[in-house]
Amino acid sequence: MFSGAEQVAGDKPPGRRRGRRRDPRAHQAIIDATLEMLAVNGYARMTIESVAARAGVAKTTIYRRWPSKGPLVTEAISTQIHLGGLPDTGDTRADLGAFVRAVIVVLRTPMIRHTLPGLAVEVAGNPDLASALTSHLVAPKRARVSEILDRAVARGELEPDLDYEIVLDMLVGPVMWSALVSGTPLDDAFADRLVDGVVSGIERRPGS
Amino acid sequence: MFSGAEQVAGDKPPGRRRGRRRDPRAHQAIIDATLEMLAVNGYARMTIESVAARAGVAKTTIYRRWPSKGPLVTEAISTQIHLGGLPDTGDTRADLGAFVRAVIVVLRTPMIRHTLPGLAVEVAGNPDLASALTSHLVAPKRARVSEILDRAVARGELEPDLDYEIVLDMLVGPVMWSALVSGTPLDDAFADRLVDGVVSGIERRPGS
Amino acid sequence: MFSGAEQVAGDKPPGRRRGRRRDPRAHQAIIDATLEMLAVNGYARMTIESVAARAGVAKTTIYRRWPSKGPLVTEAISTQIHLGGLPDTGDTRADLGAFVRAVIVVLRTPMIRHTLPGLAVEVAGNPDLASALTSHLVAPKRARVSEILDRAVARGELEPDLDYEIVLDMLVGPVMWSALVSGTPLDDAFADRLVDGVVSGIERRPGS
Amino acid sequence: MFSGAEQVAGDKPPGRRRGRRRDPRAHQAIIDATLEMLAVNGYARMTIESVAARAGVAKTTIYRRWPSKGPLVTEAISTQIHLGGLPDTGDTRADLGAFVRAVIVVLRTPMIRHTLPGLAVEVAGNPDLASALTSHLVAPKRARVSEILDRAVARGELEPDLDYEIVLDMLVGPVMWSALVSGTPLDDAFADRLVDGVVSGIERRPGS
DNA sequence: GCTTAATCGAGACGGTACGTCGCGTCTTGCA
DNA sequence: TGCAAGACGCGACGTACCGTCTCGATTAAGC
């Protein structure tokens, strides 16, 4: 469904390469410095200039690899987001709960919290960045949820024609919204109530 | 529950006012110019300088009222967001659907779409702005949903101890998420599926 | 020779006056504050705004009396410059020496030293101010020197057709120049050498 | 006695220079533009902004080289002041007269007249600038006068222990004073009377 | 006493220029 | 070629003062 093959950043096009090769230590130093500056200042106040200084690298060395702030940050934070292995418990609620909790853990990282909305700004006016971000950050989550839902469908707990997209939106959207705007505390109770709502609905059941 | 009385910007404390009063026409011209520049350039590329020029006002006149871009934009867009009157159809799904559609209409405005993520950046590092934004933009929505849920509880369709907060998060979060990041098309079908999911859950029902 | 009747500042034209009279305490407070700010910051960094604040007075109250910084400062420092009574010793060198020393005393006041060149800037582009400054600061000195020279002529020590103007320039110019630019120390030795040079010339005399 | 080697501005310390070198054309364009703006507006109304615009250069390029207006102007006008070769006539009065007339020519240049008092303001509060100004503008004059006096001493016309400093002050001070404040016309007659006064004194001579 | 006019403090207003920051591009000399 | 260094043109920042203009509150003088 999603190729996962997009470039986030600065690999040279395939043509023959001559002359001095790019220093991989510079690359890593830049990524590290980017993460540091993001954690300290947040997205809006992070500057290429400060990243270069922190990394002990010339500005040109950064611009040679990434065209602008957005892709650099995307690559930097994509190195930090691993949902980790999610268990197959055989219980849909438990599986989805584990997923939501994993997302919450990521969003509670100060660096991530400082950074994501800034990325969203860029995304709003930059389709290339949008697809890069999507493929690196959203697609993997989508895959996780798809697996969980596939298993639930196989167990007969969910309708086979369920719209997976909207389920993902219903699980991730509220978490993001709470993290960024509404301020609802992001804890295990939140995760449970959310999963419960998504699975069972809020409607009163005759037999409950 | 929510007073709604916070100041977004530049009202002087009520104490004795002496000297020339602030010109309300300047105030309005600034708000109008801000909205124009937001629509044209989006949040990140909107500059105070251009707003001042467009409004025919000195930069200092803007800084005298708002300390920075964030609060100015908050006030400007808060003048533009009216969910309008929501009908009482007697049907919970229909009422919530009308609410979600109203939110979608707002988020599809180009100006709003250009602006909200930028605001989110500021919010991430500025608690004052966060509470201002919450009280002006989020609280009114919360009130609308509360009314709908109150009526549904009264009809016996929902449990009386339902957590309203999370319902709001579940309705608004996915819409914001889709608008900003995931790119799921925001149309009536989306609204219907979302409301359906929230009300009934995704779980397969014995009798369905 | 010089009337001394020029206006330095803001007396109203003679016409009938009704309404509230100008507060002389405000006038004095402004002059005092001006002198303070001059002493602290020098001419260039003195601002009308700071003078108003220091004097506890509105800016308009200053502008009502003085059209700009130059005349205000002129009036302020002209209250500070009194050469004092110069003695008639019967000895031309002693008399002129006393005059030069008095000028030196004035120019060594920090406030004066900070202020005079700034005034010169204004003077360079403002003939009205130039004549005000001349009449308040230069004319009195001229008068003093004229008296001394008159007495010397009467004693037969100087030629009757001596050009008084250039003598004044030769006495005051070097002192100003040393104070502002060349940095030659302004002490009694300087005064003595200067007077000696002016009176006797630098030329070697046969009989000396 | 005076090295003449002080820096007026913006030369980097001698250490290893890496990176792009400063563009000498920009340097020259800035100096030229500065002189133009000085001639038109005088010191006080000359702005860095207008100089940058006139020179076709970014403001930062100016600030990179000169910390402020004072040193910039000092360097600019120091390129304009050449007393020219002074003749050795064998006659002390003629030599000094030529020197004074050369100074007068410089001070009658509109740009110089507009500029010098402004510089004096800066000098009054900035010792670094003072020494720069001294070494570039005053020291060369001092050298000229020294040569003239040396020759006169060699001819036996002046005492060998004459204080050269005060002679310089006595020649330059009155000219500056007349130019800036007293308003005595600066013409050849002034030069003659001044030199005569300095050489012979104002005192009546028995045999004259 | 009432009117009228000027002054007072405070402070908003349209401006101009400031000096700084960061951008993304462009040399320069070494590796 | 890559790289560190750093100058460059540029755009915007947020601030400081400028000199002018309301305001409401005093404070006389003339009616």
Side-chain angles (χ1 to χ4, degrees):
Chain A
M1 192 181 258
F2 233 100
S3 72
E6 278 84 358
Q7 316 282 359
V8 168
D11 306 303
K12 259 299 174 66
R16 302 279 296 102
R17 57 178 137 89
R18 284 212 295 160
R20 181 169 172 177
R21 259 78 61 85
R22 289 187 180 169
D23 185 342
R25 285 169 307 155
H27 192 97
Q28 191 56 44
I30 294 166
I31 294 292
D32 291 348
T34 301
L35 292 171
E36 279 182 64
M37 301 316 293
L38 283 175
V40 174
N41 292 126
Y43 183 89
R45 289 202 298 259
M46 186 206 91
T47 66
I48 299 278
E49 206 125 297
S50 68
V51 169
R54 192 77 177 85
V57 140
K59 271 196 295 176
T60 34
T61 301
I62 297 180
Y63 282 109
R64 212 171 280 124
R65 290 157 208 270
W66 296 275
S68 63
K69 190 171 166 177
L72 168 59
V73 171
T74 303
E75 178 164 342
I77 69 166
S78 73
T79 67
Q80 297 304 101
I81 298 184
H82 325 281
L83 290 185
L86 294 179
D88 174 5
T89 64
D91 176 41
T92 306
R93 283 165 202 260
D95 285 1
L96 290 178
F99 170 76
V100 169
R101 274 188 287 272
V103 172
I104 285 175
V105 165
V106 170
L107 286 182
R108 288 173 73 168
T109 311
M111 189 263 292
I112 299 293
R113 200 168 48 225
H114 280 131
T115 305
L116 271 189
L119 271 183
V121 180
E122 301 289 328
V123 162
N126 185 342
D128 289 356
L129 179 58
S131 70
L133 193 75
T134 302
S135 67
H136 277 74
L137 301 182
V138 180
K141 290 177 188 167
R142 191 179 321 206
R144 299 300 174 87
V145 172
S146 291
E147 292 165 17
I148 295 171
L149 297 180
D150 282 344
R151 294 197 299 262
V153 167
R155 286 193 298 266
E157 296 175 24
L158 303 178
E159 298 284 351
D161 62 349
L162 180 65
D163 181 351
Y164 284 17
E165 289 297 326
I166 205 155
V167 176
L168 184 69
D169 289 344
M170 288 176 68
L171 289 169
V172 175
V175 177
M176 288 290 294
W177 173 252
S178 300
L180 299 182
V181 184
S182 82
T184 315
L186 287 176
D187 49 20
D188 284 359
F190 180 91
D192 290 342
R193 276 198 296 264
L194 174 59
V195 170
D196 203 52
V198 169
V199 172
S200 304
I202 59 176
E203 196 177 20
R204 191 175 198 173
R205 300 292 176 77
S208 72
Chain B
M1 188 182 261
F2 232 101
S3 72
E6 278 83 359
Q7 316 283 0
V8 167
D11 307 300
K12 263 298 170 68
R16 298 284 299 102
R17 70 172 122 91
R18 289 212 284 169
R20 182 171 174 175
R21 263 80 65 84
R22 290 189 179 167
D23 186 343
R25 286 170 307 155
H27 194 96
Q28 191 55 47
I30 293 166
I31 294 292
D32 292 348
T34 300
L35 292 170
E36 280 183 63
M37 302 316 294
L38 282 174
V40 174
N41 292 126
Y43 183 89
R45 288 202 299 258
M46 185 205 93
T47 66
I48 300 276
E49 206 131 277
S50 68
V51 169
R54 192 78 176 87
V57 138
K59 251 195 310 177
T60 40
T61 299
I62 298 180
Y63 282 110
R64 212 171 277 125
R65 293 172 155 82
W66 295 276
S68 62
K69 193 171 165 177
L72 167 60
V73 171
T74 303
E75 179 164 341
I77 69 167
S78 73
T79 67
Q80 296 305 101
I81 298 185
H82 326 280
L83 291 185
L86 295 179
D88 173 5
T89 64
D91 176 41
T92 306
R93 282 166 203 261
D95 284 1
L96 291 177
F99 170 76
V100 169
R101 274 188 288 273
V103 172
I104 286 176
V105 165
V106 170
L107 287 181
R108 289 173 71 170
T109 310
M111 189 263 292
I112 300 292
R113 200 169 47 225
H114 279 130
T115 305
L116 270 189
L119 267 184
V121 179
E122 302 288 330
V123 162
N126 185 341
D128 289 354
L129 179 58
S131 71
L133 194 75
T134 302
S135 66
H136 277 75
L137 302 183
V138 180
K141 291 178 187 167
R142 191 178 320 205
R144 299 302 173 87
V145 171
S146 290
E147 293 166 16
I148 295 171
L149 297 179
D150 282 344
R151 294 196 299 260
V153 168
R155 286 192 299 266
E157 296 176 25
L158 302 177
E159 297 286 352
D161 62 348
L162 181 66
D163 181 351
Y164 284 18
E165 290 296 325
I166 204 157
V167 175
L168 183 70
D169 290 344
M170 288 176 69
L171 289 169
V172 175
V175 177
M176 289 291 296
W177 172 253
S178 299
L180 298 182
V181 183
S182 82
T184 314
L186 286 175
D187 50 21
D188 284 359
F190 180 92
D192 290 342
R193 275 198 297 264
L194 175 58
V195 170
D196 203 53
V198 168
V199 172
S200 304
I202 59 176
E203 196 178 21
R204 191 175 197 173
R205 299 291 174 78
S208 75
Chain C
M1 192 181 256
F2 233 102
S3 72
E6 278 84 359
Q7 315 282 359
V8 167
D11 305 303
K12 260 299 172 68
R16 305 280 298 100
R17 59 177 136 90
R18 281 216 297 163
R20 182 171 173 175
R21 261 81 60 83
R22 290 188 180 168
D23 186 342
R25 286 170 306 154
H27 193 96
Q28 191 56 45
I30 293 166
I31 294 292
D32 291 347
T34 300
L35 291 171
E36 279 183 64
M37 302 315 293
L38 283 174
V40 174
N41 292 126
Y43 183 88
R45 289 203 298 259
M46 186 207 91
T47 67
I48 299 278
E49 205 124 300
S50 67
V51 169
R54 191 80 177 82
V57 140
K59 269 196 297 177
T60 33
T61 302
I62 297 180
Y63 282 110
R64 211 171 279 124
R65 292 168 157 78
W66 296 276
S68 63
K69 190 172 167 176
L72 167 60
V73 171
T74 303
E75 179 164 341
I77 68 167
S78 72
T79 68
Q80 297 303 103
I81 298 183
H82 325 281
L83 291 185
L86 295 179
D88 173 6
T89 63
D91 177 42
T92 306
R93 282 165 204 261
D95 285 0
L96 291 178
F99 169 76
V100 169
R101 273 188 288 273
V103 171
I104 285 176
V105 165
V106 169
L107 286 182
R108 288 172 73 168
T109 310
M111 189 263 293
I112 300 293
R113 200 168 48 225
H114 280 132
T115 304
L116 271 189
L119 270 183
V121 180
E122 302 289 327
V123 161
N126 185 342
D128 289 354
L129 179 57
S131 70
L133 193 74
T134 302
S135 67
H136 277 74
L137 301 182
V138 181
K141 291 177 187 166
R142 192 179 321 204
R144 299 302 173 88
V145 173
S146 291
E147 293 165 17
I148 295 171
L149 297 179
D150 283 343
R151 294 196 299 262
V153 168
R155 284 192 299 265
E157 297 175 25
L158 302 178
E159 298 284 351
D161 62 348
L162 180 65
D163 181 350
Y164 283 17
E165 288 297 324
I166 205 156
V167 176
L168 183 69
D169 290 344
M170 288 177 68
L171 290 169
V172 174
V175 177
M176 287 290 296
W177 172 251
S178 299
L180 298 182
V181 184
S182 82
T184 314
L186 288 175
D187 50 20
D188 284 359
F190 180 92
D192 290 343
R193 277 197 295 265
L194 175 59
V195 170
D196 203 54
V198 169
V199 172
S200 305
I202 58 176
E203 196 177 22
R204 191 174 197 175
R205 300 292 175 77
S208 72
Chain D
M1 189 181 260
F2 233 101
S3 73
E6 278 83 0
Q7 315 284 0
V8 167
D11 306 301
K12 263 299 172 67
R16 299 280 301 100
R17 69 172 120 91
R18 287 213 284 171
R20 182 171 174 177
R21 264 80 65 84
R22 291 188 179 167
D23 186 342
R25 286 169 307 157
H27 194 97
Q28 191 55 46
I30 293 166
I31 294 292
D32 292 348
T34 300
L35 292 169
E36 281 183 62
M37 302 315 294
L38 282 175
V40 174
N41 293 126
Y43 183 88
R45 288 201 299 259
M46 185 205 93
T47 67
I48 299 275
E49 206 130 278
S50 68
V51 169
R54 192 78 177 86
V57 139
K59 252 196 309 179
T60 39
T61 299
I62 298 180
Y63 282 110
R64 213 170 276 125
R65 293 172 155 82
W66 295 276
S68 63
K69 193 169 163 178
L72 167 60
V73 171
T74 303
E75 179 163 342
I77 68 166
S78 74
T79 68
Q80 296 305 102
I81 298 184
H82 326 280
L83 291 185
L86 295 179
D88 174 5
T89 64
D91 177 41
T92 306
R93 282 164 202 262
D95 285 359
L96 291 177
F99 169 77
V100 169
R101 273 188 289 272
V103 172
I104 286 176
V105 165
V106 170
L107 288 181
R108 291 174 71 170
T109 311
M111 189 263 292
I112 300 291
R113 201 168 47 226
H114 280 131
T115 304
L116 270 189
L119 267 185
V121 179
E122 303 288 329
V123 162
N126 184 342
D128 289 355
L129 180 57
S131 71
L133 194 76
T134 301
S135 66
H136 277 74
L137 301 182
V138 180
K141 290 177 188 165
R142 191 180 320 207
R144 298 303 173 86
V145 172
S146 291
E147 293 166 17
I148 296 171
L149 297 179
D150 283 344
R151 294 196 300 261
V153 168
R155 285 192 300 265
E157 297 176 23
L158 302 178
E159 297 286 351
D161 61 349
L162 180 66
D163 181 352
Y164 284 18
E165 289 297 324
I166 205 156
V167 175
L168 183 69
D169 290 344
M170 289 177 68
L171 289 169
V172 175
V175 177
M176 287 290 297
W177 172 252
S178 300
L180 298 183
V181 184
S182 82
T184 315
L186 287 176
D187 49 21
D188 284 359
F190 180 92
D192 291 342
R193 275 198 296 264
L194 174 59
V195 170
D196 204 53
V198 168
V199 172
S200 305
I202 59 176
E203 195 177 24
R204 190 174 197 175
R205 299 293 174 77
S208 72

